[in-house]
Amino acid sequence: MPATSASLFRTALQAARDAAGSQDYPQGTLYVVATPIGNLADVTLRALHVLELADAIACEDTRHTQSMLRAYGIDRKPGGQLLAVHQHNEAEAAQAVISRLAQGERVAYVSDAGTPGVSDPGARLAAAVRAAGHRVLPLPGASSVTTLISAAGLVAADADDYSAFVFAGFLPSKATERDGAVARLAAEPRAVLLLEAPHRIEALARALAALGPRPITVGRELTKQFEEIDTVPCDALAGWLAAKDQRTRGEFALVLHPQPAGGDAKADEGERVLQLLLPELPVKTAVRLAAEISGAPRNALYERALQLRKAGEDEPGEED
């Protein structure tokens, strides 16, 4: 008879005790613990051991964490051992954690999924604990950021070296601010990692269409049963989402690939032409012509034109 998930995780918990139990776990320390982003089997042995060992577990959502702990066979009662530390109370709740650390307790912190402090609560808590003179010890593990980066095949356009990337996380929710952020991405030569929620993914896809054929890898429901990873041109992302009903469901990580070869040259030429045209023409006309002449993205040129106009208005006039 096949073993159940519960019995398998009990075996994993014993393996965690055997593998990690002899290591040093100092008291008065905050343990920042990465947890799976969807597949419970991705937990590390050290994470399991610390979650069982800790005097208290601070967490983004006590009900979610309680459910996860039970799946692993770790029995924690709500109240004294599970502390709610989330984005709305993180600064205040940090003081309760610090009080426990001052008494020599080991406190673990977990977000709902993945690595705390990466577009999730945890950064303010870690900063407050360090400022109070206590140790913060990270336990690495699952992260949607590194998961997607590892599968995206990012290669620098003009070098044999591996591509660097920029973590942008969630772009602004308001359309005007989001469009401005996308325009700035057009001038970023490195890969850019984005995160998005299902109810906003279509709006993000429409905004990213301004980046034209630049490749973007989209990861949906990473590590889960219906995981999808695909690479499409930015201006085809909305169509990719619309091709199947389920593609707008689940959590998303996306990585904009490095600027294609020649991308920087186009941006530089667009800047040069724009600066020549702006003093003579209305903004929209100057942007349209600069985009046609240089091949640089129009949204990025428009954002730059507004910056140049504002800078010109802010300059003091000449004295007589």
Side-chain angles (χ1 to χ4, degrees):
M1 182 176 178
T4 65
S5 296
S7 64
L8 288 174
F9 282 132
R10 280 196 293 272
T11 302
L13 190 58
Q14 184 58 54
R17 297 178 187 127
D18 295 340
S22 62
Q23 298 177 16
D24 182 37
Y25 298 93
Q27 295 180 311
T29 297
L30 175 68
Y31 295 84
V32 181
V33 183
T35 57
I37 58 176
N39 190 324
L40 285 175
D42 288 338
V43 72
T44 70
L45 294 178
R46 196 154 67 113
L48 286 176
H49 182 68
V50 166
L51 291 173
E52 185 178 41
L53 175 70
D55 299 295
I57 299 176
C59 48
E60 187 176 358
D61 185 321
T62 56
R63 291 172 296 181
H64 176 88
T65 300
Q66 182 76 281
S67 176
M68 178 189 70
L69 293 173
R70 283 174 178 160
Y72 292 134
I74 299 173
D75 185 25
R76 288 277 179 177
K77 296 179 181 179
Q81 291 184 315
L82 290 180
L83 313 173
V85 180
H86 47 73
Q87 67 179 98
H88 302 296
N89 77 342
E90 191 171 354
E92 298 80 10
Q95 298 309 310
V97 171
I98 290 169
S99 295
R100 286 175 174 266
L101 297 175
Q103 296 170 30
E105 292 189 11
R106 300 179 183 93
V107 179
Y109 180 71
V110 298
S111 57
D112 283 350
T115 301
V118 182
S119 284
D120 266 334
R124 289 189 178 89
L125 174 62
V129 167
R130 291 175 65 85
H134 300 288
R135 185 176 178 185
V136 178
L137 198 156
L139 273 66
S143 167
S144 61
V145 174
T146 52
T147 297
L148 185 61
I149 289 290
S150 70
L154 303 177
V155 180
D158 56 355
D160 294 330
D161 198 4
Y162 298 111
S163 178
F165 71 92
V166 177
F167 177 70
F170 292 92
L171 295 189
S173 58
K174 293 183 178 179
T176 302
E177 295 176 4
R178 182 172 54 241
D179 289 344
V182 170
R184 290 187 288 276
L185 293 182
E188 172 56 64
R190 294 166 293 182
V192 182
L193 196 294
L194 305 171
L195 301 175
E196 194 51 276
H199 66 282
R200 294 188 350 190
I201 187 61
E202 290 174 296
L204 176 63
R206 289 192 295 271
L208 290 172
L211 302 182
R214 187 168 174 179
I216 187 166
T217 295
V218 54
R220 187 185 75 85
E221 293 287 80
L222 291 173
T223 78
K224 299 179 184 178
Q225 181 178 358
F226 299 107
E227 172 186 87
E228 281 190 274
I229 300 176
D230 207 351
T231 299
V232 298
C234 283
D235 54 11
L237 178 58
W240 183 87
L241 291 169
K244 295 181 181 179
D245 290 341
Q246 71 269 23
R247 280 186 173 165
T248 55
R249 302 171 192 159
E251 299 299 319
F252 290 84
L254 309 96
V255 61
L256 184 65
H257 283 233
Q259 190 74 257
D264 286 344
K266 288 181 180 179
D268 292 344
E269 178 66 3
E271 170 88 6
R272 186 187 71 81
V273 175
L274 185 64
Q275 294 204 35
L276 291 173
L277 296 178
L278 264 182
E280 311 297 333
L281 298 170
V283 167
K284 288 186 178 180
T285 304
V287 167
R288 177 176 59 80
L289 291 173
E292 291 175 359
I293 293 169
S294 67
R298 185 176 296 192
N299 277 12
L301 288 172
Y302 184 73
E303 182 77 12
R304 180 59 177 152
L306 295 180
Q307 293 172 354
L308 291 170
R309 276 286 167 89
K310 186 176 187 305
E313 292 170 359
D314 291 344
E315 289 180 1
E318 294 183 2
E319 296 181 1
D320 293 335

